[in-house]
Amino acid sequence: MSSKPHAQRQSRKGAWIAIGILVLALVAGVTFIFSGIYNVAADDPHTRPVYWLLETARDRSVAAHARNVPPPPDLADPARIAAGAGLYAEMCAACHLAPGMERTEIAQGLYPAAPELARGNDLTPAEKFWVIKHGIKSTGMAAWGKTHNDTLIWNMVAFLQKLPGLSADQYQTLVKAAPEGHDEMMKEQDGGQDPAASDHHDDDMGHPH
Ligand code: HEC
């Protein structure tokens, strides 16, 4: 009976072909990376598949991580919204723009572009909180949680809930209404959390990536 050894020979041949293809793919990948052919320039847009891949990975990551964000405080509180407006005008408008504002030079050059947050988006308050606190790798979006506690970040989220639909005048009025010291670290107002202890409470996946 020679059929069994023959089948074995066939499957061993198949395994070697598969290994050969894997090695070739690996060599091609390493050659591609080290050759410098890939263009990292911000003025050279991603191809559609790469853009889709990055965007999908980002959206899925933000949605998954935002599940651990604690429930939002009262985002309709006018004092909180005004404080958030002050922070937004100082730290965010340069990239994300605001009603009545011309496109800044940095907004024109960023890639991926910073979305105009006044146009609204489909992020939940928890997702906005998570993105503002932790930032997004390899984009211009910084992790503001390194320098701002959760109260300040919720203030910005509260303002972002209001931002779409504001006229230029309404925006300016809100920014001027920002209380003195709107950017100072306050003791956590909501849920009585200690700012130091709250540092990782929204994120049990905070290991290095
Ligand atoms: C240096 C430019 C820059 C600054 C300053 C900046 N951002 Fe961003 N932000 C970005 C970019 C770029 C993205 C998009 C990242 C991406 O496409 O993955 C982004 C994304 C976001 C998103 C997610 C929007 C969405 O629809 O996915 C939010 C929310 C946000 N930023 C809020 C803020 C807030 C609040 C501040 C101020 C504290 C701020 N950003 C400051 C560049 C900036």
Side-chain angles (χ1 to χ4, degrees):
M1 290 297 273
S2 68
S3 71
K4 208 173 169 202
H6 177 73
Q8 271 177 357
R9 260 202 312 279
Q10 281 299 91
S11 77
R12 204 172 302 147
K13 198 172 154 197
W16 279 115
I17 290 174
I19 290 171
I21 290 172
L22 274 177
V23 168
L24 271 180
L26 201 74
V27 168
V30 169
T31 308
F32 176 69
I33 289 167
F34 279 86
S35 69
I37 290 172
Y38 183 73
N39 190 355
V40 295
D43 58 0
D44 178 57
H46 292 303
T47 58
R48 272 177 161 273
V50 171
Y51 195 84
W52 177 86
L53 199 82
L54 293 174
E55 201 177 45
T56 306
R58 179 202 59 200
D59 291 350
R60 300 299 306 141
S61 172
V62 170
H65 286 82
R67 276 187 218 121
N68 301 313
V69 169
D74 178 13
L75 298 177
D77 174 5
R80 189 182 279 286
I81 295 169
L87 291 165
Y88 184 86
E90 281 164 15
M91 304 191 300
C92 322
C95 292
H96 289 285
L97 307 180
M101 212 173 138
E102 299 257 327
R103 285 192 81 207
T104 56
E105 291 172 354
I106 190 166
Q108 294 178 49
L110 275 173
Y111 190 83
E116 284 190 47
L117 297 175
R119 291 175 192 260
N121 60 34
D122 49 13
L123 296 187
T124 64
E127 289 171 339
K128 287 176 190 154
F129 177 92
W130 190 85
V131 169
I132 298 167
K133 180 164 178 166
H134 298 285
I136 299 179
K137 279 191 176 78
S138 298
T139 74
M141 183 55 190
W144 300 91
K146 294 220 169 190
T147 47
H148 294 75
N149 67 12
D150 289 4
T151 301
L152 295 178
I153 293 173
W154 281 123
N155 292 352
M156 292 188 248
V157 174
F159 169 72
L160 289 185
Q161 297 298 98
K162 271 274 166 200
L163 176 60
L166 287 185
S167 69
D169 283 347
Q170 288 168 324
Y171 172 68
Q172 288 304 334
T173 309
L174 258 184
V175 172
K176 290 200 189 93
E180 284 274 326
H182 60 268
D183 53 356
E184 278 160 27
M185 292 274 207
M186 296 169 262
K187 205 164 158 42
E188 302 286 311
Q189 292 163 343
D190 307 285
Q193 289 139 346
D194 172 51
S198 77
D199 203 20
H200 288 293
H201 66 155
D202 70 308
D203 189 358
D204 59 7
M205 298 190 251
H207 48 77
H209 296 285

